[in-house]
Amino acid sequence: RGVKVVLKDHRVSRPLENKITFTGTLREYQEESVTEVMANDFGVVEAGTGAGKTVIACAAIARKSVYTVICVPSKELMYQWVERLCSFTDLDKNDIGLLGDGIYQVKPITVAIINTLAKHADELKDYFEYIVVDEAHRVAAEMYAGGPLTSLATKTMTGLSATLMRGDGLIDLLYWYIGRVLHKVDAANLRDIEAIMEPFVWQKETNFFSKKAEKNYSSM
């Protein structure tokens, strides 16, 4: 219709001076996930507990070797990510910044609790090129959508989730902000290759009975 479209890309490009080395070994399905992440600027990796989502992300972070922030929902996960990065790359604790738990220490590779990152999103707008969103199914929360996912000018974004399910029906917001599912790791396949153990369920009958179980599970 004669309308001229001008695209202005304000996304940040910030390669690291020294490349990160991935020191782990990827399983075949993990390599497939990393390949998809590297081929797409945005998207989600869906893999159940035990599939090694963090390892997949560590490999992607190393291959990209750009200024990166890993966004997590809790301080426990923040410190866990630091341990994983040290275990699966040549980074040590002094190389990794922390945002959260009373700490404000920004470095080229930083692990941040969502609340703290949202608070400082404006001042860090042009700092990071890549963001990894752990527990990505939580992004429907205003803390994410109104914070780093829209404030940070990151060039690329990867979401990690064990299950893309929300009871409130807002899972579409994940696809809107982070992108489509790039790779889904099949749980049955993980058991077949013995990457995870198949649980054996043994029901032990007792005489305990609760009428509150359906309405109040915690009190039961």
Side-chain angles (χ1 to χ4, degrees):
R1 295 181 177 269
V3 177
K4 184 180 179 181
V5 177
V6 178
L7 175 64
K8 293 183 179 180
D9 191 344
H10 295 288
R11 295 180 298 166
V12 173
S13 292
R14 293 199 76 183
L16 296 172
E17 289 185 14
N18 300 310
K19 275 191 162 291
I20 300 170
T21 301
F22 180 70
T23 56
T25 302
L26 295 175
R27 294 189 171 103
E28 185 178 343
Y29 68 86
Q30 292 172 327
E31 180 63 51
E32 291 172 0
S33 292
V34 177
T35 299
E36 287 294 333
V37 168
M38 297 303 293
N40 295 273
D41 285 354
F42 299 90
V44 180
V45 173
E46 183 179 2
T49 304
K53 293 184 293 297
T54 310
V55 179
I56 291 167
C58 285
I61 291 167
R63 291 187 193 180
K64 286 177 180 288
S65 285
V66 297
Y67 279 56
T68 299
V69 60
I70 298 117
C71 180
V72 299
S74 67
K75 68 178 183 180
E76 289 79 15
L77 274 175
M78 180 176 75
Y79 293 118
Q80 183 178 307
W81 262 96
V82 173
E83 291 177 6
R84 295 292 189 275
L85 284 165
C86 293
S87 297
F88 292 102
T89 72
D90 60 350
L91 296 170
D92 62 40
K93 288 186 178 181
N94 295 325
D95 298 320
I96 303 167
L98 294 175
L99 281 179
D101 197 22
I103 305 168
Y104 182 82
Q105 191 179 55
V106 182
K107 294 186 178 181
I109 304 297
T110 296
V111 186
I113 299 175
I114 176 59
N115 309 54
T116 309
L117 184 59
K119 198 179 299 181
H120 298 280
D122 287 339
E123 64 199 72
L124 296 172
K125 178 178 181 292
D126 298 316
Y127 192 82
F128 299 107
E129 177 176 334
Y130 182 41
I131 181 170
V132 176
V133 184
D134 200 4
E135 303 286 336
H137 51 277
R138 296 171 179 253
V139 303
E142 188 178 347
M143 187 69 70
Y144 287 84
L149 297 192
T150 50
S151 299
L152 299 182
T154 51
K155 188 175 184 180
T156 58
M157 185 185 301
T158 301
L160 306 172
S161 181
T163 173
L164 298 181
M165 291 175 60
R166 285 184 65 97
D168 55 13
L170 295 178
I171 196 64
D172 282 351
L173 284 175
L174 178 141
Y175 307 129
W176 176 263
Y177 284 110
I178 302 182
R180 64 183 178 85
V181 176
L182 301 174
H183 191 240
K184 181 175 181 178
V185 179
D186 183 55
N189 181 48
L190 291 179
R191 290 192 294 270
D192 291 342
I193 64 174
E194 297 184 346
I196 60 173
M197 290 188 293
E198 186 169 2
F200 173 74
V201 181
W202 178 38
Q203 184 171 321
K204 177 68 176 176
E205 296 290 344
T206 72
N207 58 6
F208 175 77
F209 180 78
S210 172
K211 293 181 179 179
K212 299 180 181 180
E214 289 185 9
K215 293 183 179 179
N216 196 333
Y217 184 80
S218 58
S219 69
M220 183 216 38

